[in-house]
Amino acid sequence: MEVFISNLSNQSTERQLKQWFKPILARLNIHVFSCQKPRNRNFATLTIGDVQLGQRFLDLHGQTNPGRDGFKTVKEKLYHYNRPVSCSKSRNGPDKFLLQSLEQEVNEKSLAKHRHQPRPSKTGGQRNRRKFQCSLTAVGSMDYSGSDLVLVDHYHMVRAGSIFFGRRSALFQSGREVDQQTEVPYNSIQSLILGNSTDPLLTFSLTEGPRFFGKEPHVEDNLAHAMHRLSIQPAHGYGKPSERRRIVGFDPKHQALAASSFAYSFLVDPQDIQAILALKPLPGFPEIVKWHVGFVTNPAFPTQMSQLNTALSLARYRNFPFEVKFQLQRLAQNGYLSPSGVLQLMQAMKIPFVDADKSSLAAAIRRTSNQIPFAGPGTEPSDLSLDTVQQLLIDNYHQILREEEYSRDVTQHYEHIASIYKATVTPLGIHLSGPEAEVKNRVLRQYSAFSNYFLQVSFLDEDGEPLRHHHGISLTTIYHERFKKILGGNITVCGRPYEVSAYQQTGLKLLTDPKFLGFSHSSLRSHTCWFMAPFTWNGQLRHAGSVIKDLGDFSAIRSPAKCAARIGQAFSQAFSSVDIPKEAFRSLPEIDRLDAHGIRRTFSDGVGTCSKAILERIWAAYAPTRSLKPTVCQIRYAGAKGMISLDNRLHGDVLCLRPSMIKFEAKSTQIEICGAGFKPLPFYLNRQLIKILEDLGVPEQSFLDLQDEAVEQLRITAENPINAGYYLQRNLVGKSARLPWLIRKLSYIGMSFGDDSFLRDTHELAILIQLRELKYRSRIFVERGLTIYGIMDETDYLEEGQIYCSVENERTGLVLTGRVVITRCPALHPGDVQYVDAVDVPRDSPLRSVRNCVVFSSKGDRDLPSQLSGGDLDGDLYNIIYDDDLMPTHLSDPADYPTAPAIDIGREVTRSDMTDFFVQFMENDQLGRLSTLHQTLADQKPEGVFHPDCILLAEMCSTAVDFSKTGIPVKLERMPKSSNVRPDFQAPGPRVLIEENIKLEDLEVPEDDEDEDEPEETARAPRYYRSEKVLGKLYRAIDEQDFFSEIQRQSRSPSNAQSLGLADKVWEYVREKAALIQYVHYLEFARDVKEAYEDNMIDTMLENSSHPTHFVSEVEVFAGALIGKDGAQSKRQREYSTTMKEKHDRDVAYTVQCILQGEEQDSSKEEALERSIACLDVAIHEPRIRRRFGRLVSFTWVAAAVCLKEIEKFTRS
């Protein structure tokens, strides 16, 4: 039931009103309800799930007649702040999904009473308060003065205000009319330090900067503001001006040091100390430490940083190369040491490192930074002294020198890899990282000896994630002042200015200003671009302009977006490049025609052909050791991009490209390989596609059966070690470390991997990640499905509506025939799924020579790829389903959105145009938001994806996808109206804790625990209802807690309680089988190999975290995947997982090679056995506890796998 509440004060807030209603409704046994009040209006709505209880409320407090006369007859009159409140049944019916969410909340609370202990009481007195009056007294950094913990005061100004402790963050409010807020997420708190009654200071020591907000300035005659106040704005509300804006500090003085000042101290009322301490038991609340913090004043951070930058440019440090200076600047800029501390370290380094190997010294500084602790109650003052840090640096340097035989520069062993320095620009500062291994692009390949003159720059939030768009919060200041200023200027590192600016040509004269370097399409979507510092190459000065000029001629392009996309072709990662003779190039005519509506359709968009001789050149460079050779490749060639396929009718070196592939004129004669069809990729359903198929008539049981099968496959992996080993092998978990073989081997010799917590956690983590992909993304494997590249029929054999698809892998081959479903992701429109007829071709057809691709017909009124989510043939992947259980009963006409021409500015692109576009893209990148709303409305509307709102959102998503090429952003004012109620399958899952073992936290029980004092600006959590569509049923069919608990019970061996660990059992087995083998002379070798492996492990743990001060767990690195902390992996986590796994696999493979071949590349079996035994001995019996990271254990199992394999060979011989 919905109750209309009127005659409220305009200034009353929704949160105040909700708190006021709580005791009133509780007397009627109403504990779950929704209260919604528009800002600055005098009415609200109250929604009560139970109609009878709602009527009871109206019988007591409602009025049947309007006005004052009606109020006189109310049984129990309600007054809010002395105003008589009118309550009556709403003329509008309650929102169906809001009612369902209330019902869901009642059920969850009921279940929680039986399953869990009650949460800490929130009733009764001051000890439960969350809001406290305070004054910000100092901002700076934590350090020591002698043995005393102090805050080095960089910014001293008393700012009176209040601090509120919410569920996930603390919010400090200050200024007139509370016009400034400072948000501190709890997960960014390193230490929360509270003084005593005589020293009532509350100090936050953080790992990253807070988020600052100010009130958005409004002009009274602003039309949108006026419409809002008059209630004549559009119903969807997107015309409403933002209430708050992100800012970069309190004032200019604070802004200059906010990037490195991670300590904030507040003076609180001494009488509030016990009330603050009483918050400790609340879920997610950071630990409070009672400690005294003093204050000292040093030169301001900007002054210190300026002194350091000047010193790095002085002649006395000229013998320090760039890689050393970079790490020294990184120490200060990222907050590991103060700039003055780095200066002292530099002075101390001059003597012991005068003749040092500079690359080893740079690596030692980087390693030392990872070992420097944060100043705080848990750190000894001596740990941060100059003597300690200097000795740590010396020890690391000598250790790295010893490890050089057993570690390697990956760029020397992999031609397609370069070491790249990186910077992250946040709203507050710039953080440095690297060098890190990256796949080369055309520019890095050409200037491979100068890779440190290129800087990869990302624009992210303080936590290392993209800036999040929240309704009512403007990011204009961050994008158009902070980020744009960086893009229009430079980033100076060690005196070297890295710049980014747009190129401009006037006739044949190239302007001498710094020129734009660029970004790839994928890096644009991750808000990353390339900066460059000038250098001399072959006797010529190379700067951004000359580099761009060598790439090609872009002067005719009049669109900033298109210009960026064309330059970005040179920044696409390519695994190899192949020289092609100039005379090999041929031009193919485009296959296009007018359709029935007079629209020109291009059937050959982005696809060409090549001879076998060209492919053989590619195979020799790209796939020399692989048994299957690709016949289709995604390429970049000069100014062209797209797909090429084998045409066996061509002889000699022939490369045929079409006009649609050639985007600009360039002189390069190298083919760069971005991808190839070695074998068909697996096909997985996702939520968008499942919803479309459901609405096209596919029975819901088909999806449930597929998911049940996938869950059962996960379940049986825990039944025995053999299944576990094969599961890890199929999912490529621990392949380089021979983990799958090790688990099976242990079983064969009578041992269980479940007896070791690390191996058990690795297996459980691999299962949990797959389970979460199923539950939170509905990523369900379809055995009778394919994911493959698309090309065009060059033989003119296929008819309209036909495809040819021949696939093969190492084991089998298949030519599809019959009716199949074809689609392409992302699919949002119901017409993105179509039927086609798969046919075979004659034996002598040239199509017989191509495989692992889908060949589309060149006939018909409209090309099929464009009907599938606007696809083309320049490298798009297509999905084919030939599972009878997933066949739709009906189809929809495909979408046909008009092609939007790229914005034409009518002149050459300038620096300002290019930076404007980059900023505009970051600001308007709304694809994720639109897709989520599409998913929500498709679940709520009876018509599903056929509802007009969903059709509109599909079109808006298409515009958002094309934004990077057209420069035309999506118009958010067209977005359909939606509420804050969502289907249950969009709810977050329990957080995963990886400590001594993997644990799922209990989901928070829904509670109406909002505090009356909670700021109105804090985001209102969405409500969730029980979805009765197939996605809801799939979601609820997996009980994550129960499933994982069962897996853990199965994987834990009854012998776990035995005193002898699994590693010790393996050692006993090895000593028994190789009792006569002498290995002691290899112990020093083994120690160095172990050190090198573990240092690489720590680098990987740090490089692939979302923030430099955090690190991922060893088990995540070993398993090759980051766990989604509250659901499935995010897109960024999946990207990090891929790069993390690639690096760790390289490191492990090299470690295994060192053990097998030794220092002198001796391949003797006996020597390999001796080395492996020595490594296992050191791993088990010489554990090392590392600062911040504890004991690393994975080397034990790398060594064990090698050792057991060598023992197996030894016993056979």
Side-chain angles (χ1 to χ4, degrees):
M1 174 182 288
E2 183 174 280
V3 179
F4 184 74
I5 313 295
S6 60
N7 201 38
L8 296 166
S9 167
N10 285 11
Q11 288 72 37
S12 63
T13 67
E14 180 176 292
R15 190 166 281 118
Q16 290 173 342
L17 197 60
K18 185 174 183 179
Q19 293 296 322
W20 178 68
F21 267 122
K22 268 187 181 180
I24 297 172
L25 296 174
R27 292 195 295 268
L28 300 174
N29 202 29
I30 302 172
H31 302 286
V32 176
F33 61 93
S34 170
C35 179
Q36 296 177 314
K37 180 185 182 297
R39 291 191 181 191
N40 301 316
R41 306 305 302 273
N42 68 347
F43 62 87
T45 57
L46 184 69
T47 305
I48 300 169
D50 189 306
V51 175
Q52 292 182 344
L53 292 177
Q55 189 59 51
R56 188 186 304 176
F57 170 82
L58 285 176
D59 290 344
L60 197 59
H61 305 296
Q63 59 189 73
T64 55
N65 298 316
R68 294 182 179 180
D69 292 337
F71 187 73
K72 293 177 182 178
T73 62
V74 175
K75 292 182 180 179
E76 289 190 17
K77 301 176 177 61
L78 295 179
Y79 293 85
H80 185 248
Y81 289 102
N82 297 320
R83 291 176 66 98
V85 174
S86 173
C87 305
S88 59
K89 187 174 181 179
S90 176
R91 287 176 294 181
N92 301 320
D95 182 278
K96 169 186 174 183
F97 299 102
L98 177 58
L99 288 177
Q100 290 182 14
S101 72
L102 295 174
E103 181 183 353
Q104 176 93 339
E105 196 170 317
V106 170
N107 293 336
E108 287 179 357
K109 284 188 174 183
S110 177
L111 287 172
K113 289 181 180 179
H114 297 91
R115 286 187 175 184
H116 309 295
Q117 295 294 322
R119 294 169 71 178
S121 171
K122 296 186 175 223
T123 59
Q126 188 183 34
R127 65 186 180 89
N128 296 296
R129 284 171 47 212
R130 287 176 175 259
K131 184 176 181 179
F132 304 92
Q133 298 302 310
C134 64
S135 295
L136 175 65
T137 58
V139 177
S141 57
M142 303 303 295
D143 205 340
Y144 289 95
S145 177
S147 60
D148 296 329
L149 181 65
V150 296
L151 188 151
V152 182
D153 191 353
H154 297 155
Y155 174 88
H156 188 84
M157 178 183 289
V158 177
R159 299 180 67 88
S162 63
I163 190 165
F164 179 84
F165 292 98
R167 295 177 184 82
R168 299 180 183 273
S169 62
L171 190 71
F172 171 63
Q173 300 187 102
S174 64
R176 295 180 179 179
E177 299 182 359
V178 198
D179 58 2
Q180 286 190 344
Q181 291 112 14
T182 304
E183 183 184 24
V184 179
Y186 291 152
N187 60 11
S188 71
I189 296 177
Q190 178 72 20
S191 303
L192 185 56
I193 308 168
L194 184 62
N196 53 36
S197 58
T198 60
D199 179 34
L201 288 173
L202 180 64
T203 302
F204 291 77
S205 177
L206 310 177
T207 61
E208 63 192 45
R211 291 151 181 77
F212 299 99
F213 301 89
K215 283 196 173 182
E216 181 78 338
H218 293 314
V219 180
E220 278 303 313
D221 62 354
N222 179 285
L223 180 60
H225 185 63
M227 290 175 64
H228 171 61
R229 295 296 299 270
L230 295 172
S231 254
I232 59 175
Q233 68 175 48
H236 48 67
Y238 287 101
K240 177 182 175 181
S242 299
E243 297 290 334
R244 293 193 297 165
R245 61 190 175 107
R246 282 285 294 270
I247 56 178
V248 293
F250 299 127
D251 53 38
K253 180 182 177 182
H254 178 243
Q255 292 169 11
L257 51 86
S260 54
S261 298
F262 292 165
Y264 289 73
S265 190
F266 299 88
L267 181 67
V268 299
D269 190 325
Q271 297 181 2
D272 287 339
I273 289 178
Q274 291 305 313
I276 294 173
L277 288 171
L279 298 174
K280 290 173 65 174
L282 297 178
F285 198 82
E287 181 181 358
I288 302 177
V289 179
K290 294 276 287 181
W291 205 271
H292 171 72
V293 176
F295 290 89
V296 297
T297 302
N298 283 345
F301 182 87
T303 302
Q304 292 187 43
M305 201 67 205
S306 177
Q307 293 170 349
L308 174 61
N309 289 332
T310 300
L312 288 171
S313 304
L314 293 177
R316 74 182 74 165
Y317 298 110
R318 190 172 293 159
N319 64 322
F320 284 0
F322 174 80
E323 54 261 40
V324 172
K325 292 182 179 180
F326 181 92
Q327 298 302 335
L328 289 169
Q329 182 169 333
R330 175 176 168 270
L331 278 177
Q333 198 150 323
N334 290 15
Y336 296 106
L337 292 175
S338 67
S340 59
V342 176
L343 277 169
Q344 294 175 26
L345 182 63
M346 288 167 60
Q347 290 283 349
M349 287 169 56
K350 288 172 61 178
I351 296 176
F353 294 108
V354 65
D355 296 320
D357 177 81
K358 298 308 184 280
S359 61
S360 298
L361 178 57
I365 299 172
R366 184 179 185 184
R367 183 177 297 180
T368 300
S369 71
N370 299 332
Q371 299 168 345
I372 298 173
F374 287 95
T379 302
E380 291 294 329
S382 60
D383 291 342
L384 284 169
S385 69
L386 175 62
D387 290 342
T388 300
V389 174
Q390 182 184 1
Q391 189 58 51
L392 197 59
L393 177 58
I394 292 172
D395 292 345
N396 283 329
Y397 174 74
H398 290 300
Q399 180 62 40
I400 286 171
L401 289 180
R402 290 196 299 273
E403 294 170 4
E404 282 187 345
E405 289 291 332
Y406 321 111
S407 60
R408 59 178 173 175
D409 181 355
V410 68
T411 63
Q412 301 299 316
H413 291 77
Y414 296 93
E415 187 180 342
H416 67 285
I417 297 293
S419 288
I420 299 302
Y421 290 89
K422 299 183 178 183
T424 300
V425 179
T426 73
L428 301 184
I430 300 174
H431 305 285
L432 303 178
S433 60
E436 297 176 15
E438 291 276 341
V439 176
K440 290 179 180 177
N441 53 49
R442 185 179 303 179
V443 174
L444 293 177
R445 187 173 289 106
Q446 181 172 356
Y447 303 106
S448 57
F450 297 87
S451 61
N452 64 17
Y453 284 84
F454 298 89
L455 188 70
Q456 193 179 79
V457 182
S458 300
F459 293 81
L460 303 169
D461 210 338
E462 303 302 328
D463 60 359
E465 294 290 333
L467 264 72
R468 299 169 183 84
H469 295 268
H470 294 291
H471 186 54
I473 298 178
S474 168
L475 298 174
T476 300
T477 300
I478 306 300
Y479 285 126
H480 291 275
E481 296 179 21
R482 167 66 180 160
F483 288 175
K484 190 172 181 181
K485 182 180 179 181
I486 298 293
L487 285 163
N490 62 55
I491 297 174
T492 301
V493 182
C494 313
R496 180 185 291 178
Y498 291 86
E499 297 173 290
V500 56
S501 53
Y503 88 102
Q504 180 174 332
Q505 289 177 315
T506 305
L508 298 176
K509 181 181 177 182
L510 189 68
L511 299 186
T512 57
D513 294 337
K515 306 299 183 281
F516 175 76
L517 198 54
F519 44 81
S520 68
H521 181 261
S522 60
S523 69
L524 174 63
R525 293 205 171 276
S526 61
H527 303 174
T528 299
C529 64
W530 289 93
F531 280 51
M532 177 190 168
F535 58 89
T536 301
W537 179 75
N538 290 344
Q540 296 180 329
L541 177 65
R542 310 304 288 175
H543 47 76
S546 56
V547 170
I548 295 291
K549 183 180 179 181
D550 285 350
L551 292 177
D553 182 7
F554 306 97
S555 60
I557 302 175
R558 296 293 186 261
S559 165
K562 184 169 287 188
C563 181
R566 299 301 172 244
I567 295 174
Q569 289 177 211
F571 292 93
S572 297
Q573 293 184 340
F575 294 94
S576 63
S577 62
V578 182
D579 283 314
I580 301 295
K582 289 183 179 180
E583 56 273 16
F585 173 74
R586 303 282 190 279
S587 180
L588 277 179
E590 212 73 70
I591 307 299
D592 57 10
R593 65 180 64 90
L594 296 176
D595 67 9
H597 303 287
I599 301 173
R600 183 163 296 280
R601 306 291 187 178
T602 302
F603 289 73
S604 56
D605 189 6
V607 64
T609 62
C610 68
S611 63
K612 186 175 181 182
I614 292 290
L615 273 182
E616 286 173 343
R617 289 174 179 265
I618 293 174
W619 295 340
Y622 186 45
T625 61
R626 300 185 69 159
S627 57
L628 291 177
K629 306 299 184 183
T631 58
V632 292
C633 297
Q634 186 182 20
I635 66 159
R636 302 288 185 267
Y637 174 76
K641 65 186 287 279
M643 294 292 298
I644 56 172
S645 63
L646 172 61
D647 187 341
N648 60 14
R649 297 170 297 184
L650 301 174
H651 302 287
D653 288 324
V654 181
L655 174 66
C656 300
L657 305 180
R658 288 190 163 89
S660 61
M661 303 175 70
I662 301 172
K663 308 300 182 181
F664 60 91
E665 294 299 323
K667 300 176 182 178
S668 173
T669 58
Q670 287 190 327
I671 281 187
E672 296 165 318
I673 312 302
C674 301
F678 283 100
K679 59 182 180 180
L681 300 175
F683 169 61
Y684 293 88
L685 294 169
N686 56 48
R687 284 181 169 172
Q688 289 91 343
L689 185 54
I690 287 173
K691 183 57 190 160
I692 290 175
L693 291 174
E694 177 190 28
D695 291 343
L696 292 179
V698 176
E700 66 179 28
Q701 194 60 44
S702 298
F703 305 109
L704 291 166
D705 289 345
L706 282 173
Q707 179 174 276
D708 288 345
E709 183 179 343
V711 171
E712 185 60 26
Q713 289 294 321
L714 290 178
R715 194 187 311 278
I716 64 174
T717 65
E719 291 181 352
N720 59 65
I722 305 301
N723 291 347
Y726 283 117
Y727 170 76
L728 296 177
Q729 182 175 318
R730 284 197 308 274
N731 289 277
L732 304 179
V733 176
K735 179 182 178 182
S736 57
R738 303 177 179 178
L739 180 61
W741 177 88
L742 174 65
I743 286 177
R744 295 194 296 268
K745 179 66 177 179
L746 290 173
S747 178
Y748 294 148
I749 62 178
M751 302 180 197
S752 172
F753 78 95
D755 290 346
D756 179 78
S757 61
F758 182 80
L759 292 181
R760 192 171 61 237
D761 284 351
T762 301
H763 177 235
E764 290 173 357
L765 183 67
I767 291 176
L768 182 58
I769 288 172
Q770 293 296 323
L771 184 70
R772 295 196 134 202
E773 289 289 289
L774 286 169
K775 183 172 179 68
Y776 298 104
R777 291 180 64 203
S778 299
R779 190 171 184 267
I780 305 172
F781 174 67
V782 178
E783 185 175 3
R784 298 176 65 81
L786 303 168
T787 300
I788 45 181
Y789 287 113
I791 63 172
M792 189 193 72
D793 175 18
E794 302 284 351
T795 69
D796 209 32
Y797 176 81
L798 298 175
E799 299 296 333
E800 182 179 9
Q802 292 183 337
I803 64 167
Y804 171 69
C805 183
S806 172
V807 295
E808 68 176 31
N809 53 33
E810 292 83 354
R811 300 183 304 275
T812 60
L814 170 70
V815 175
L816 287 183
T817 57
R819 191 172 71 160
V820 299
V821 169
I822 190 164
T823 185
R824 174 180 166 270
C825 291
L828 294 170
H829 189 279
D832 290 338
V833 174
Q834 295 293 323
Y835 273 128
V836 289
D837 291 321
V839 300
D840 202 351
V841 296
R843 289 184 177 274
D844 59 350
S845 171
L847 295 183
R848 285 274 182 170
S849 63
V850 296
R851 56 186 175 272
N852 295 331
C853 62
V854 54
V855 183
F856 292 98
S857 171
S858 61
K859 300 177 182 179
D861 201 43
R862 179 183 174 188
D863 60 301
L864 181 57
S866 70
Q867 301 177 48
L868 307 174
S869 193
D872 55 32
L873 300 177
D874 70 353
D876 287 354
L877 291 168
Y878 294 87
N879 307 120
I880 297 177
I881 306 172
Y882 53 101
D883 187 326
D884 291 341
D885 293 331
L886 295 177
M887 295 294 158
T889 59
H890 57 279
L891 295 177
S892 171
D893 290 336
D896 193 6
Y897 309 125
T899 302
I903 290 177
D904 188 338
I905 60 176
R907 54 173 171 78
E908 294 183 39
V909 175
T910 66
R911 165 182 182 167
S912 179
D913 298 326
M914 197 68 74
T915 55
D916 282 349
F917 168 67
F918 191 85
V919 170
Q920 184 188 29
F921 183 87
M922 290 191 290
E923 190 175 25
N924 293 277
D925 187 11
Q926 300 284 344
L927 182 59
R929 178 180 175 185
L930 294 168
S931 299
T932 300
L933 181 58
H934 179 278
Q935 193 178 96
T936 301
L937 295 183
D939 188 80
Q940 293 178 352
K941 304 299 183 181
E943 303 92 336
V945 295
F946 287 91
H947 189 276
D949 284 351
C950 292
I951 298 295
L952 171 61
L953 283 168
E955 180 183 356
M956 294 176 71
C957 284
S958 177
T959 302
V961 168
D962 291 339
F963 177 31
S964 61
K965 295 176 287 187
T966 64
I968 301 174
V970 67
K971 296 179 180 178
L972 291 181
E973 60 269 21
R974 299 178 64 204
M975 188 181 292
K977 179 181 178 181
S978 65
S979 67
N980 203 35
V981 183
R982 304 175 185 174
D984 53 355
F985 57 79
Q986 291 182 345
R991 291 183 67 246
V992 177
L993 303 179
I994 302 178
E995 296 168 343
E996 293 184 359
N997 52 43
I998 299 174
K999 182 174 69 174
L1000 294 178
E1001 280 191 335
D1002 290 336
L1003 274 171
E1004 288 189 16
V1005 180
E1007 295 241 5
D1008 282 331
D1009 57 359
E1010 292 176 345
D1011 195 290
E1012 183 177 5
D1013 294 323
E1014 185 168 0
E1016 196 70 23
E1017 291 85 357
T1018 54
R1020 186 173 64 190
R1023 292 181 179 274
Y1024 297 96
Y1025 63 88
R1026 178 186 172 96
S1027 168
E1028 295 304 329
K1029 304 290 179 63
V1030 67
L1031 288 176
K1033 294 178 180 180
L1034 288 168
Y1035 171 79
R1036 292 188 298 274
I1038 297 176
D1039 188 318
E1040 188 178 11
Q1041 294 275 13
D1042 287 352
F1043 180 90
F1044 195 62
S1045 296
E1046 179 188 345
I1047 292 297
Q1048 290 188 318
R1049 283 194 302 270
Q1050 290 180 347
S1051 63
R1052 280 159 170 71
S1053 168
S1055 61
N1056 280 347
Q1058 295 181 6
S1059 58
L1060 197 61
L1062 180 60
D1064 294 319
K1065 293 179 184 178
V1066 171
W1067 178 247
E1068 286 190 348
Y1069 174 85
V1070 168
R1071 295 304 296 135
E1072 176 187 341
K1073 295 293 183 181
L1076 300 179
I1077 300 296
Q1078 299 299 312
Y1079 66 90
V1080 176
H1081 56 292
Y1082 273 117
L1083 286 177
E1084 193 61 33
F1085 162 90
R1087 293 184 185 104
D1088 290 339
V1089 171
K1090 176 176 179 286
E1091 284 294 313
Y1093 170 87
E1094 292 188 346
D1095 288 329
N1096 283 327
M1097 169 63 75
I1098 289 174
D1099 285 345
T1100 307
M1101 292 163 68
L1102 289 163
E1103 286 175 8
N1104 295 282
S1105 64
S1106 60
H1107 193 273
T1109 56
H1110 306 152
F1111 57 88
V1112 302
S1113 66
E1114 183 183 17
V1115 69
E1116 287 175 286
V1117 174
F1118 199 68
L1122 300 171
I1123 187 70
K1125 301 304 182 189
D1126 56 1
Q1129 292 175 313
S1130 67
K1131 179 181 178 181
R1132 196 165 186 83
Q1133 284 176 320
R1134 291 195 294 273
E1135 292 171 352
Y1136 274 132
S1137 293
T1138 299
T1139 56
M1140 178 181 75
K1141 178 175 172 55
E1142 289 172 352
K1143 180 185 182 301
H1144 183 62
D1145 283 348
R1146 289 194 299 266
D1147 292 341
V1148 172
Y1150 189 69
T1151 300
V1152 171
Q1153 180 183 328
C1154 287
I1155 298 173
L1156 293 176
Q1157 298 182 2
E1159 297 173 85
E1160 301 177 1
Q1161 303 300 300
D1162 185 356
S1163 59
S1164 164
K1165 294 180 180 179
E1166 291 80 6
E1167 293 297 302
L1169 177 57
E1170 292 172 6
R1171 287 189 291 270
S1172 66
I1173 295 174
C1175 288
L1176 185 60
D1177 188 352
V1178 168
I1180 294 174
H1181 301 121
E1182 298 182 18
R1184 177 183 172 187
I1185 307 300
R1186 293 174 178 262
R1187 192 189 301 272
R1188 289 181 66 194
F1189 304 97
R1191 181 186 177 187
L1192 302 179
V1193 298
S1194 59
F1195 181 75
T1196 300
W1197 300 111
V1198 173
V1202 177
C1203 190
L1204 289 176
K1205 191 70 174 179
E1206 292 303 310
I1207 289 286
E1208 187 178 87
K1209 296 176 183 177
F1210 176 72
T1211 54
R1212 286 177 182 171
S1213 63

